[in-house]
Amino acid sequence: MGEGRWRRVAGAGWRSIAVWAVSTVTMLVLAGILPDFQLQSASGDSATRIAVTAALGAGAFGILSALVWPLLVRALLLVPALVLGLAVFALNGGLLLLALDLVPDGRGEANPETAVVVAAVMSAVASATGGALAVRDDDAYRRRLYRLADRRRRRHGPGAGPSTPGTVFLQLDGVGHDVLRDAVNQDLMPTVGAWIGAGTHRLTPWRTDWSSQTGASQLGILHGSNHDVPAFRWYEKDTREIQVSNRPSSAAELQRRAIERTGDGGLLTLDGASRGNLFSGGAGQVALVLSVAARRGKENRSRAGYFAYFRDPANAVRTALSFVAETGREIGQSTRARLTRQRPRVGRGGLYPFIRAFATVVERDVVVAAVIGDMLAGRSSVYADLVAYDEVAHHSGPGSRDAEKVLARLDRSLALIAKVAEHAPRPYRIVVLSDHGQSPGETFRARYGLGLQDLVRAGCGLPVPRRAGRTHSGAEARAAVRAALRRPVEEGREKHRPSSRRSEPIVLASGNLGLVSFPDVPHRMSKEEIDARHPALLTTLANHPGIGFLLVRSEEHGAVVLGARGAEIPLAALDDEPGPLADFGPHAADAVRRTDSFPHTADIMVNSWYDPAEGEVLAFEEQIGSHGGLGGAQGHPFLLAPEVFSPPVAEGTELVGAEQVHRVLRRWLREGYGPQVPLVPLDESRREPSADASFTAATVIPQDESA
């Protein structure tokens, strides 16, 4: 018997035990509230004996229902419908009386009328429990897909779907190339391993820009431009606002700028769907897309996916059970990490267990259900983001057991989507990719006892608070929670208006990348201006052991990179003399040069220390798995695509930057069904996406057997 068969047998056994347990409890409750239903002898029994009697009675009733009921129904097929409706209840009650007679010592007793009521309630509860557990079974779901596909073929006729293949892009947020390789080698992701091992898919690493985070990468992938996105969050002096990639208003503005720069709507403009992303990609069908969530009123369809998914009771029950299980799992894992004094470690209390459960269960279930609906509806292109791994790795570490278990569950989602492709009305090619990786390491604050903001204030001669403010972590999942619950999302929108006196610096963190801006100076400050105002600041930062290098603008040499012991190298000379960038790889200079050209680059760009031997960085946020700057695995995501597509780059060359990934994906779409991603005028690209109708095609989605 193969492993898959053993797994199916174990799953069926587990479900049977669960239904038996729920039926036993139901029988105990009914015995307590119905006077004519007894589970004990006349002289009374102990609680244990009563429980055993209930278990035996529930088990006997379940077995009789499974064995005898199908025969009774077949025998009653010729009975008129009205008579059959009445007979069903009587026969069900008769089965319960028979089950009670089978209980030893005759402890179970009920009059016929009560037996009918008890049998009806127990059957309903057992059916609901079995149904909630059955939707977690891949085989049951596959049979449902057969029925859906057959129903669609009967409705539209054979060959109703397009003959050209569609493409599904699945983004595994935060999964680095090496992490995926290790997961395949450890058999944590058998679906991906089978694709690579069989030679049907090609795995290619690619390199991010300096800003190795979802905002920059996904904007470049979906819209072809991530120009002027220096970090996850940054201060813009012309508007005096802080832009945050996962804030709906910021996401909408970044998308608008990208469309204006490129002149077209994005990767998904033709019959495309965008699911769970920061940006729409020009798709006409959107759900859980943050750039759309900024809109107010009925035209905002970004949350339609939640309502469409949860209106099915089976989905609600299944996801609720998994949500509770995941919350308990996180509490147990964080407690174990605290008791074993695991290092590095960050706080995982408060609302985080619920935020993690939302990212790893609710967001995953809704997004995968949306993709399934899109495929069964025959859409040409779909792009979906699954943030589960990124969220867990931030707090548990990118190589932790917690994160590995999430990878295994994500692989099951990929397997499920691959099965759906077998029943879709058109052939589908599945592309899996990531937007960045994650680099491990303890936090800057944990190692040195103060945060980057404290260090900047000290270098400016300002007082340093004894307790620093709480930093943002789990930002992507938190934003999704706020959007789903319709909570205000603009409360963090800040405007900094300089006063007559010199204002304090604004210090922002994006993983191990820090940005320091002086809001009272309308232009990007030069090194000379910073030295004149705060003579010790740049020296304090550059010589700190937790800082790798700084980027500032010099009046004499243009942009320069500063390092420890007075190192100061113009950007133009970095190729010949890498200096502070030596440990960050041969392409670090190009990434820094590109960011230096952005209009909203901060006065001081700070990249943390990096250990090339261990691959560790020091996050300026409270994360032990981080991304956002240069250093290690965070800058090396992957692209896994079918071999039928042309190679992403020529042999011997690298795939560099999210904008180049966009060009590759666009080329693959043309290879699949011709050049169908037209240039869209700006007014047309801002059209309202239509409401989501694809969820009705797939209403249940098995995912996590362990939850």
Side-chain angles (χ1 to χ4, degrees):
M1 185 179 290
E3 181 179 352
R5 185 175 300 178
W6 277 115
R7 185 174 182 175
R8 290 192 295 271
V9 171
W14 182 85
R15 288 192 298 275
S16 299
I17 293 173
V19 172
W20 182 20
V22 172
S23 298
T24 299
V25 173
T26 302
M27 183 173 280
L28 287 170
V29 171
L30 292 173
I33 61 178
L34 296 176
D36 294 327
F37 182 36
Q38 302 293 327
L39 293 176
Q40 56 184 325
S41 62
S43 58
D45 286 323
S46 65
T48 302
R49 181 61 190 174
I50 296 173
V52 170
T53 301
L56 292 174
F61 180 66
I63 293 173
L64 289 173
S65 297
L67 298 179
V68 179
W69 190 251
L71 301 177
L72 290 175
V73 171
R74 184 178 296 273
L76 292 171
L77 286 178
L78 299 179
V79 175
L82 178 60
V83 177
L84 177 61
L86 298 174
V88 162
F89 289 98
L91 291 172
N92 208 25
L95 286 179
L96 177 68
L97 292 174
L98 178 58
L100 294 177
D101 285 340
L102 296 176
V103 176
D105 302 326
R107 281 178 160 78
E109 181 180 340
N111 62 36
E113 296 83 358
T114 303
V116 169
V117 174
V118 172
V121 173
M122 289 187 61
S123 296
V125 171
S127 177
T129 304
L133 297 174
V135 298
R136 302 160 60 84
D137 181 80
D138 284 350
D139 289 333
Y141 189 62
R142 185 165 53 211
R143 290 190 293 271
R144 175 183 169 79
L145 289 177
Y146 281 126
R147 292 194 298 271
L148 285 171
D150 290 341
R151 190 181 309 159
R152 187 185 188 282
R153 279 193 290 269
R154 288 194 300 268
R155 185 168 63 248
H156 298 284
S163 59
T164 55
T167 307
V168 175
F169 302 103
L170 300 173
Q171 179 180 301
L172 304 187
D173 206 299
V175 180
H177 174 268
D178 291 345
V179 167
L180 186 78
R181 269 289 185 194
D182 291 342
V184 169
N185 293 336
Q186 298 173 36
D187 202 28
L188 293 173
M189 304 185 76
T191 303
V192 174
W195 289 345
I196 297 175
T200 60
H201 282 62
R202 178 192 300 111
L203 179 63
T204 305
W206 66 279
R207 185 162 49 81
T208 67
D209 304 292
W210 187 0
S211 182
S212 53
Q213 47 85 22
T214 304
S217 292
Q218 196 179 88
L219 185 64
I221 292 171
L222 287 177
H223 288 280
S225 172
N226 58 6
H227 177 76
D228 202 20
V229 182
F232 185 77
R233 50 181 70 86
W234 67 95
Y235 177 68
E236 297 189 345
K237 293 187 174 184
D238 51 351
T239 61
R240 297 173 183 166
E241 292 181 357
I242 295 176
Q243 297 286 356
V244 185
S245 297
N246 71 339
R247 182 180 295 158
S249 60
S250 296
E253 174 63 16
L254 295 180
Q255 181 172 307
R256 185 197 65 78
R257 294 178 187 179
I259 292 173
E260 188 175 63
R261 184 174 179 85
T262 62
D264 70 80
L267 186 70
L268 309 172
T269 51
L270 183 80
D271 191 28
S274 180
R275 310 301 187 187
N277 300 311
L278 295 181
F279 311 103
S280 72
Q285 297 288 335
V286 297
L288 325 182
V289 174
L290 212 61
S291 63
V292 180
R295 301 169 184 158
R296 304 298 184 188
K298 294 182 179 180
E299 72 275 6
N300 179 6
R301 304 296 183 185
S302 68
R303 303 179 186 91
Y306 291 107
F307 303 120
Y309 178 79
F310 286 110
R311 69 187 178 197
D312 186 325
N315 288 347
V317 171
R318 195 212 68 81
T319 299
L321 292 174
S322 296
F323 183 93
V324 172
E326 185 69 12
T327 302
R329 182 183 293 119
E330 162 56 26
I331 293 173
Q333 291 171 348
S334 61
T335 301
R336 182 175 64 249
R338 188 168 59 252
L339 293 177
T340 58
R341 301 182 182 276
Q342 177 181 309
R343 290 289 184 272
R345 188 178 77 248
V346 294
R348 292 158 60 176
L351 292 176
Y352 173 69
F354 303 101
I355 293 170
R356 165 176 162 168
F358 178 88
T360 57
V361 174
V362 180
E363 194 268 354
R364 177 202 64 194
D365 285 0
V366 175
V367 168
V368 173
V371 173
I372 290 173
D374 292 327
M375 295 173 71
L376 293 177
R379 304 207 191 284
S380 297
S381 56
V382 184
Y383 194 104
D385 186 12
L386 299 170
V387 303
Y389 173 85
D390 191 63
E391 175 62 28
V392 174
H394 275 316
H395 296 81
S396 301
S400 64
R401 288 182 57 195
D402 301 0
E404 288 178 348
K405 292 178 180 178
V406 174
L407 287 175
R409 293 195 289 273
L410 286 175
D411 187 80
R412 293 193 63 221
S413 296
L414 298 180
L416 181 59
I417 291 172
K419 292 174 184 175
V420 172
E422 301 172 2
H423 312 288
R426 70 189 303 171
Y428 273 98
R429 295 168 175 176
I430 299 175
V431 177
V432 186
L433 73 161
S434 60
D435 49 346
H436 54 77
Q438 284 203 21
S439 296
E442 61 184 327
T443 68
F444 187 88
R445 182 184 301 279
R447 177 166 293 192
Y448 300 110
L450 78 170
L452 178 63
Q453 183 173 13
D454 303 328
L455 185 63
V456 170
R457 291 181 63 85
C460 293
L462 298 171
V464 178
R466 292 184 178 182
R467 297 183 64 182
R470 182 174 177 269
T471 61
H472 300 278
S473 63
E476 292 157 9
R478 291 177 192 274
V481 172
R482 289 196 297 269
L485 299 179
R486 293 183 179 269
R487 293 182 57 188
V489 292
E490 300 304 314
E491 56 191 7
R493 190 178 182 87
E494 301 175 50
K495 282 206 173 190
H496 292 262
R497 301 189 180 279
S499 60
S500 57
R501 63 181 180 84
R502 289 179 176 177
S503 61
E504 297 183 359
I506 297 173
V507 182
L508 301 172
S510 295
N512 74 317
L513 177 64
L515 295 86
V516 183
S517 300
F518 296 91
D520 61 323
V521 179
H523 59 270
R524 183 177 172 186
M525 288 187 73
S526 67
K527 176 180 179 296
E528 290 78 8
E529 288 177 307
I530 297 172
D531 284 338
R533 176 182 286 198
H534 302 295
L537 176 58
L538 293 178
T539 302
T540 299
L541 293 175
N543 287 302
H544 191 280
I547 303 297
F549 66 89
L550 312 177
L551 171 67
V552 294
R553 181 71 60 82
S554 168
E555 295 174 0
E556 181 180 358
H557 302 291
V560 295
V561 170
L562 307 181
R565 296 179 294 279
E568 180 177 335
I569 302 176
L571 270 181
L574 279 175
D575 290 333
D576 301 323
E577 188 180 356
L581 297 185
D583 289 339
F584 292 89
H587 304 288
D590 293 334
V592 173
R593 267 191 288 268
R594 183 171 186 267
T595 300
D596 177 67
S597 69
F598 293 165
H600 291 113
T601 297
D603 295 329
I604 308 173
M605 300 287 290
V606 185
N607 203 97
S608 85
W609 161 89
Y610 165 58
D611 180 2
E614 300 295 332
E616 294 184 352
V617 299
L618 299 174
F620 298 126
E621 303 181 84
E622 292 303 297
Q623 300 170 347
I624 59 174
S626 66
H627 57 89
L630 286 173
Q634 63 183 314
H636 299 281
F638 71 89
L639 180 61
L640 179 68
E643 286 278 357
V644 294
F645 288 132
S646 61
V649 290
E651 188 174 353
T653 60
E654 283 191 278
L655 183 57
V656 179
E659 292 181 0
Q660 187 176 1
V661 174
H662 170 85
R663 292 191 289 271
V664 170
L665 301 189
R666 180 161 277 194
R667 186 215 315 156
W668 287 348
L669 288 179
R670 289 195 299 268
E671 292 174 0
Y673 46 79
Q676 297 190 20
V677 187
L679 294 180
V680 179
L682 291 182
D683 57 346
E684 195 175 330
S685 68
R686 297 190 185 105
R687 69 189 186 280
E688 296 294 337
S690 60
D692 188 350
S694 63
F695 285 79
T696 56
T699 56
V700 294
I701 167 174
Q703 289 284 325
D704 185 3
E705 287 184 348
S706 63

